[in-house]
Amino acid sequence: MTKKSIKCRVNGVNREYFVDVRSSLMDLLRGPAGLDSIKHGCDVGECGACTVLINGRPFNSCIYLAVWAEGKEIVTLEGVTNPDGSLSDIQQAFVDEGAVQCGICTPGFIMASIPIINQETPSTREEIRRQISGNLCRCTGYQKIVDAIEKTQKKRIAEKKKG
Amino acid sequence: MLSEPNQTKLTQKMPILTLEEMMSIVGRSLNRVDASDKVTGKAKYTGDLVTPNTLVAKVLHSTIANGVVKSFNLDEAWKVAGVVDIVTCFDVPDIAFPTAGHPWSTVEAYQDIADRKLLNTRVRLYGDDIAAVIAETEIAAQRALKKIEVTYEEYKPLLTIEEALANTEIPIHDEFPTNIVKSHKYEIGNFEEAIKAPNLIKVEGEYETPIVKHCHIEPAISFAYEEAGKIVVVSSTQIPHIVRRVCSQALGLPIGKIRIIKPYIGGGFGNRQDALTEPLNAYLTTRVRGRPVKLEYTREETFAFTRVRHAMHFKITSYLNREGDFVARSVKAYSNQGGYASHAHALVANAINAFRMMYPVGAIKGEAYTVYTNLATAGAMRAYGIPQISFALESHIDDIAKVTGLDPIAIRKRNMMKLGYVDPITTITCHSTGLEECIERGEKYLNYSEKREKYSKQSGAIRRGVGMSIFCYKSCVYPINLETSACRLVLNQDGSAQLQMGATEIGQGADTVFTMMAAETLGFTIDKIHLISRQDTDVTPYDSGAYGSRQTYVGGMSVKKTAEKFKAEILKFAGKLLKRDPWDLDIVENQVVRKNKKEPLISVADVAIEACYSLKESIHIAAEETHHCSDNTYAFGVCFVEIEVDIPLCQIKVVDIINVHDSGKIINLQTATGQVHGGMSMGLGYGLTEYLKFDPKTGRMLNDNLLDYKLMTAIDTPELHADFVMPYDPTGPYGNKALGEPPTIPVAPALRNALLNATGVAVNSNPLNPQKLFYAFKEANLI
């Protein structure tokens, strides 16, 4: 078993981990990093429950090797919550729109939605659907998840316009 | 006695509020009580609770579908570093146990079939559990598994019902020599006499539904350890109390020696209404002196080796008169059980019961068979046999409409269940119905009748079609099974209350509606109810769990009864403090008031602190009640759908879809709407894309993953519309009826009927995927 030291930023903090070269980023984050918002659903990048942001882009952390995280900026759901512990706009929208049921896919969906809500121009619902179709949900039929993302994106764009 | 005019006057002066109008919390659209934890990652699921020193177990699954394990060679496996123990089917207790999530029956004839052991020597499906490795790491366990050599005596896999019925020399289970798990018949009226009437129209049809999968996003998982002389199993289950009983049976231990803990779970949909990994996991910890052992299935194992929905085959014959009244109907059903009994015959029995209940007119007879095969074991899945019969029956109604030229809605309205119907076999009574209004709203929303007429005359490659379907669904499992639910309320010193339910949150929103119900009955605000979501069979009151859409109906009544008792206890103590008759007191928004008055006399918080710390008379204010349910009622609903069919591409696109439900009074509109959307999405998959494929030679499941098994993604899903008709059901605790499972029922047949409208092609099996449509369109000379 080969181990390797890696340095990366996780939720805004510089970290150093000594990882098994075979382990996935999901294993690292759920294990030594103690970030269990990341959920395990399939291990092969099919369900999206383990989605995290790597340098701002959503990735399935189960098929991303931990050693590839060297020098990367990683954000998990723990890093989306406001520093005072209150809910960020997208989390609040998931609550208010009823986009959460069993909740196992929710962290992945929120992470996948972050690039969408940060877009400069509004997306159609079709575009939102396409961008989240790497994440599976069996409870909600996606209707209210799309509602929550659409609402937050609109709100952010309006806020940016106000300056 | 008052004369009539006086009565009217009195009513005008002081309007009598209905029970429904008096409710202030029930009926509102509130956010889920668990939503905040779930959007921040604070909500803990089984996998999040595993401690770092936990050993990892992996199961060795057979690579044949039918046969016997003769021997193992474990030499190389033992050499893998990190292996702690290897257990084979020759080592486990010689005890057969049942896995179905039914309440135990004290009548032997009604007990679930005990047909499997912790590990099985007799292999009955491809992937049967035959050995297990416990290791320090997952990699070590996986490596050891690969090094185990197995010698089998192999029999021909029996993968279809026909094969299983024809090959009985070596039955799949010795106790069932014909491979038939169970069969039964019923007859209402005299079928043979009824069909002698003159001028009847006879319509026959055969319909088939596939094996499909629940696809909850969290795989099957549990971990187990010993503590205080007990085996503790932490598991992602819908039914902690039942799993406790199954583990005790499987290990031959007293029930008090087993403790099940159920944290948040990542979906269930009926798969977890069965003991899955828990019994073996409980045993494995005993093999390593009680050290914690995790048994987590991969996605592929969860697909192939937990439970699936039964494939069913139906033959339906209907006789009706020229006006469209049913005179006689019959159904013959075959259900593919797979290798083990699990819920067995209960599903197809439920299916042919619904055949009778939906259109309870004329003579009706039903006949059903459940047959063991060497395929994946079938168990409960959302709506328990009803998606299957509804696909058949509702397709058949549109076939009748096509043959007779009658209107499909008119046929349904003439013959469907009406208010006051009492089922002659189960005695389940229709205490309320909004079905007619559901149909009307759906019809109006889609402009169905006009479009149906227009679309029936199309030609060309791209065509539109509309379809609809209706259903009825029972609100609990009474009188087939026991219906019981217990609840506990404990007063905290700050005037808030702990609410403990045996009924489980599995994503459907049970915790939220129980919180609302308790607040409603107590006169508390929502924030004063702290529901303990996690069930622990050592402390949680008994409830059989989340299934049968029973929780708000049965569990809801236990909340109501407990809250009434709890409130009386609070008021009794408040009465002493205030020196007032408790019967004259009430609670409104956390304040004790005089009945029908608003001025607060004392806060519940002050009552609570005095009750706890009073030097004169301290008392632990708490209440516990059981609701033994001995009634049932029907929920109803419809789906209306418009599709666009691309004939050359053999593709169906959903243009518009609505489900309208009568689930009685809706407790929480937000969560109810979410249930409907999720059910519709699952129904769309059942109708259009989902089926499990097996290798016809070996019986191995071929699409055991989320890439090859086509469940709906966001881009596949159309905008979903949900609406509710809300008659107040007199038997529901707050006027409510079943909702959890029903939304998935009517979608597939509505899609199939829309295809019939668009193309004139009757496809009698789901899913309506391009592969199937290609052959159907070719046969119809459309391509």
Side-chain angles (χ1 to χ4, degrees):
Chain A
M1 184 169 71
T2 317
K3 282 206 161 191
K4 202 177 160 188
S5 179
I6 61 159
K7 284 182 186 164
C8 53
R9 271 171 80 79
V10 180
N11 295 330
V13 181
N14 290 323
R15 301 280 183 192
E16 190 168 355
Y17 299 106
F18 195 50
V19 298
D20 183 334
V21 295
R22 301 166 301 183
S23 68
S24 68
L25 181 61
M26 178 184 77
D27 292 335
L28 166 66
L29 295 173
R30 276 186 64 79
L35 299 166
D36 55 19
S37 73
I38 298 131
K39 299 302 175 205
H40 162 230
C42 69
D43 270 326
V44 286
E46 288 163 359
C47 77
C50 64
T51 306
V52 299
L53 296 183
I54 301 172
N55 290 353
R57 286 183 58 207
F59 279 86
N60 290 316
S61 62
C62 71
I63 49 169
Y64 191 96
L65 283 176
V67 291
W68 295 345
E70 170 67 38
K72 301 283 187 344
E73 175 89 39
I74 295 158
V75 180
T76 71
L77 183 61
E78 286 85 350
V80 174
T81 307
N82 292 331
D84 66 355
S86 63
L87 301 183
S88 62
D89 53 358
I90 184 69
Q91 290 168 310
Q92 191 62 50
F94 266 66
V95 174
D96 293 341
E97 295 303 310
V100 178
Q101 288 191 32
C102 87
I104 201 87
C105 72
T106 305
F109 267 103
I110 293 178
M111 298 319 293
S113 71
I114 291 193
I116 311 174
I117 58 176
N118 284 334
Q119 276 172 218
E120 300 296 322
T121 50
S123 309
T124 62
R125 287 176 70 84
E126 186 84 358
E127 283 162 354
I128 294 172
R129 286 179 180 279
R130 189 167 297 282
Q131 288 185 76
I132 58 168
S133 38
N135 292 64
L136 297 176
C137 171
R138 193 59 151 172
C139 297
T140 65
Y142 308 101
Q143 186 72 22
K144 289 168 184 259
I145 294 177
V146 177
D147 291 347
I149 297 171
E150 187 184 36
K151 178 180 154 185
T152 311
Q153 190 196 52
K154 272 188 187 157
K155 207 174 127 200
R156 284 200 181 188
I157 290 172
E159 276 164 12
K160 273 181 212 160
K161 270 187 189 162
K162 263 194 240 164
Chain B
M1 215 175 135
L2 292 170
S3 64
E4 268 192 29
N6 271 342
Q7 269 187 342
T8 315
K9 214 173 155 188
L10 202 71
T11 316
Q12 281 171 347
K13 212 172 163 188
M14 222 172 68
I16 297 163
L17 291 173
T18 63
L19 286 170
E20 187 176 356
E21 285 161 344
M22 287 193 292
M23 296 193 287
S24 62
I25 293 172
V26 162
R28 283 165 61 189
S29 197
L30 295 180
N31 288 342
R32 293 176 64 109
V33 295
D34 54 3
S36 181
D37 275 3
K38 286 176 174 176
V39 297
T40 52
K42 283 180 196 154
K44 297 292 176 233
Y45 298 75
T46 301
D48 304 329
L49 299 166
V50 178
T51 48
N53 64 340
T54 300
L55 298 170
V56 178
K58 283 274 158 197
V59 173
L60 181 70
H61 300 284
S62 69
T63 53
I64 63 164
N66 195 7
V68 177
V69 176
K70 300 309 281 183
S71 65
F72 292 97
N73 181 347
L74 305 176
D75 296 349
E76 293 303 310
W78 271 116
K79 287 179 191 164
V80 175
V83 169
V84 179
D85 197 8
I86 303 177
V87 191
T88 75
C89 53
F90 303 117
D91 306 325
V92 295
D94 188 22
I95 302 172
F97 62 93
T99 62
H102 294 140
W104 188 239
S105 175
T106 51
V107 181
E108 204 180 329
Y110 296 121
Q111 287 168 0
D112 289 311
I113 297 165
D115 66 351
R116 73 162 76 206
K117 293 174 187 165
L118 290 169
L119 296 165
N120 297 293
T121 308
R122 175 70 171 91
V123 170
R124 288 152 179 134
L125 60 109
Y126 190 102
D128 211 335
D129 305 350
I130 56 172
V133 172
I134 306 172
E136 280 162 8
T137 64
E138 186 157 344
I139 291 172
Q142 292 280 22
R143 282 190 172 163
L145 275 192
K146 283 190 179 158
K147 292 188 187 294
I148 297 177
E149 291 169 23
V150 191
T151 315
Y152 299 101
E153 180 180 317
E154 201 173 341
Y155 311 138
K156 175 184 147 62
L158 307 173
L159 305 180
T160 63
I161 287 169
E162 293 75 22
E163 282 178 332
L165 292 175
N167 295 279
T168 53
E169 310 81 54
I170 307 170
I172 294 170
H173 293 264
D174 289 343
E175 299 79 7
F176 297 85
T178 58
N179 286 328
I180 294 172
V181 184
K182 198 175 170 182
S183 65
H184 86 291
K185 291 180 185 179
Y186 67 77
E187 183 165 357
I188 306 299
N190 188 327
F191 185 88
E192 292 306 322
E193 278 302 312
I195 62 172
K196 286 178 188 160
N199 300 322
L200 296 183
I201 306 162
K202 179 183 178 185
V203 183
E204 284 181 293
E206 287 193 44
Y207 309 88
E208 234 177 337
T209 64
I211 299 178
V212 295
K213 189 63 194 155
H214 316 77
C215 296
H216 39 73
I217 303 301
E218 178 197 32
I221 179 169
S222 58
F223 67 95
Y225 53 93
E226 289 181 25
E227 190 180 85
K230 291 178 192 178
I231 300 172
V232 185
V233 188
V234 181
S235 174
S236 182
T237 179
Q238 299 172 223
I239 48 165
H241 277 285
I242 291 178
V243 164
R244 182 193 199 195
R245 183 258 302 163
V246 174
C247 288
S248 100
Q249 289 174 315
L251 273 68
L253 291 172
I255 206 161
K257 291 280 185 190
I258 309 282
R259 177 180 170 201
I260 308 292
I261 296 171
K262 177 231 159 255
Y264 281 121
I265 81 170
F269 311 112
N271 198 31
R272 307 194 213 259
Q273 192 206 341
D274 225 286
L276 299 175
T277 54
E278 303 92 346
L280 179 61
N281 202 166
Y283 173 70
L284 293 177
T285 187
T286 68
R287 297 277 306 195
V288 290
R289 297 174 303 283
R291 278 185 70 182
V293 178
K294 178 177 84 163
L295 182 52
E296 181 178 21
Y297 272 5
T298 61
R299 173 58 55 188
E300 291 76 12
E301 286 177 293
T302 304
F303 257 96
F305 313 133
T306 56
R307 304 291 175 266
V308 295
R309 179 183 277 164
H310 292 78
M312 290 188 194
H313 179 274
F314 301 96
K315 188 175 178 196
I316 299 177
T317 310
S318 300
Y319 292 84
L320 60 160
N321 64 23
R322 304 279 153 184
E323 288 75 44
D325 300 310
F326 286 137
V327 174
R329 299 190 300 130
S330 75
V331 61
K332 191 172 184 184
Y334 285 90
S335 179
N336 189 329
Q337 181 51 56
Y340 291 95
S342 177
H343 290 247
H345 195 62
L347 287 106
V348 73
N350 207 32
I352 68 165
N353 277 347
F355 175 84
R356 176 182 73 240
M357 292 160 171
M358 190 67 255
Y359 302 104
V361 177
I364 309 172
K365 65 176 186 176
E367 186 177 351
Y369 299 83
T370 297
V371 183
Y372 279 124
T373 64
N374 296 120
L375 287 183
T377 299
M381 181 172 163
R382 198 172 196 166
Y384 214 75
I386 309 305
Q388 292 97 315
I389 188 65
S390 286
F391 181 79
L393 178 56
E394 292 298 298
S395 297
H396 184 69
I397 302 287
D398 273 45
D399 289 349
I400 293 172
K402 199 182 175 200
V403 170
T404 59
L406 293 166
D407 176 59
I409 289 185
I411 299 172
R412 288 177 170 92
K413 281 189 177 174
R414 284 184 93 89
N415 294 288
M416 71 195 189
M417 188 200 297
K418 307 286 188 322
L419 185 69
Y421 165 72
V422 182
D423 180 60
I425 295 178
T426 62
T427 73
I428 299 171
T429 303
C430 177
H431 294 293
S432 65
T433 173
L435 179 55
E436 187 132 357
E437 200 183 329
C438 289
I439 296 174
E440 276 153 20
R441 282 203 208 170
E443 203 286 327
K444 199 174 161 200
Y445 171 84
L446 205 65
N447 194 13
Y448 167 88
S449 297
E450 204 182 304
K451 283 180 178 170
R452 183 173 176 271
E453 178 61 26
K454 194 172 110 191
Y455 293 156
S456 62
K457 297 167 190 144
Q458 293 167 99
S459 57
I462 313 288
R463 298 185 198 173
R464 291 239 169 155
V466 289
M468 60 85 68
S469 143
I470 67 174
F471 70 87
C472 64
Y473 199 75
K474 305 188 302 291
S475 289
C476 67
V477 300
Y478 179 84
I480 309 294
N481 264 315
L482 165 74
E483 268 302 3
T484 188
S485 177
C487 166
R488 183 184 299 137
L489 276 159
V490 177
L491 190 64
N492 296 320
Q493 294 92 320
D494 62 356
S496 66
Q498 232 79 265
L499 172 61
Q500 268 181 286
M501 297 296 297
T504 55
E505 170 64 60
I506 64 166
Q508 82 285 47
D511 285 357
T512 304
V513 297
F514 292 144
T515 302
M516 293 169 76
M517 289 169 169
E520 176 72 53
T521 299
L522 287 172
F524 282 22
T525 51
I526 284 281
D527 58 306
K528 299 291 181 207
I529 305 291
H530 304 298
L531 181 133
I532 301 175
S533 187
R534 192 175 295 183
Q535 276 76 24
D536 175 340
T537 56
D538 265 12
V539 288
T540 305
Y542 186 87
D543 181 287
S544 42
Y547 58 81
S549 302
R550 60 184 287 279
Q551 298 215 135
T552 50
Y553 187 72
V554 182
M557 194 65 95
S558 85
V559 176
K560 191 178 190 181
K561 283 168 78 172
T562 310
E564 281 165 356
K565 190 176 171 187
F566 185 64
K567 185 175 176 181
E569 289 295 317
I570 295 169
L571 293 179
K572 198 169 130 192
F573 196 84
K576 279 185 194 168
L577 293 178
L578 297 167
K579 301 198 171 29
R580 280 178 188 272
D581 183 352
W583 295 105
D584 189 37
L585 299 174
D586 199 359
I587 302 172
V588 176
E589 290 189 5
N590 315 318
Q591 302 290 330
V592 176
V593 296
R594 279 188 66 197
K595 253 184 198 149
N596 301 319
K597 300 272 194 271
K598 280 181 182 162
E599 303 76 49
L601 302 173
I602 185 171
S603 69
V604 175
D606 287 341
V607 175
I609 206 154
E610 193 58 31
C612 186
Y613 298 120
S614 166
L615 283 173
K616 237 164 82 187
E617 188 190 359
S618 73
I619 179 173
H620 168 73
I621 294 181
E624 191 161 327
E625 273 292 318
T626 305
H627 175 55
H628 177 91
C629 176
S630 53
D631 208 341
N632 202 336
T633 191
Y634 300 97
F636 299 94
V638 301
C639 175
F640 279 78
V641 65
E642 179 167 355
I643 61 169
E644 189 172 275
V645 189
D646 184 325
I647 294 173
L649 282 179
C650 302
Q651 270 181 352
I652 291 176
K653 189 181 147 201
V654 176
V655 178
D656 202 353
I657 184 164
I658 188 169
N659 265 28
V660 188
H661 287 266
D662 159 20
S663 288
K665 173 77 182 170
I666 294 300
I667 309 292
N668 183 332
L669 204 59
Q670 188 202 77
T671 51
T673 307
Q675 281 300 104
V676 176
H677 290 156
M680 289 172 80
S681 170
M682 202 179 262
L684 284 163
Y686 195 52
L688 296 175
T689 54
E690 293 181 35
Y691 72 113
L692 283 167
K693 209 171 156 67
F694 296 84
D695 182 335
K697 281 194 187 116
T698 62
R700 186 168 83 92
M701 191 185 284
L702 295 173
N703 53 341
D704 58 355
N705 60 74
L706 294 167
L707 186 65
D708 298 318
Y709 182 85
K710 300 295 180 193
L711 73 155
M712 292 273 138
T713 70
I715 195 72
D716 306 317
T717 310
E719 296 293 325
L720 304 169
H721 304 279
D723 194 7
F724 298 96
V725 173
M726 297 190 212
Y728 189 94
D729 192 279
T731 66
Y734 300 86
N736 54 298
K737 306 191 277 187
L739 178 64
E741 298 162 287
T744 206
I745 299 170
V747 181
L751 286 163
R752 180 268 186 198
N753 291 339
L755 178 67
L756 180 67
N757 177 227
T759 62
V761 179
V763 179
N764 288 354
S765 68
N766 55 320
L768 307 170
N769 59 5
Q771 295 92 317
K772 188 175 292 164
L773 295 191
F774 172 76
Y775 291 107
F777 290 164
K778 219 173 154 201
E779 203 187 315
N781 290 321
L782 286 176
I783 46 174

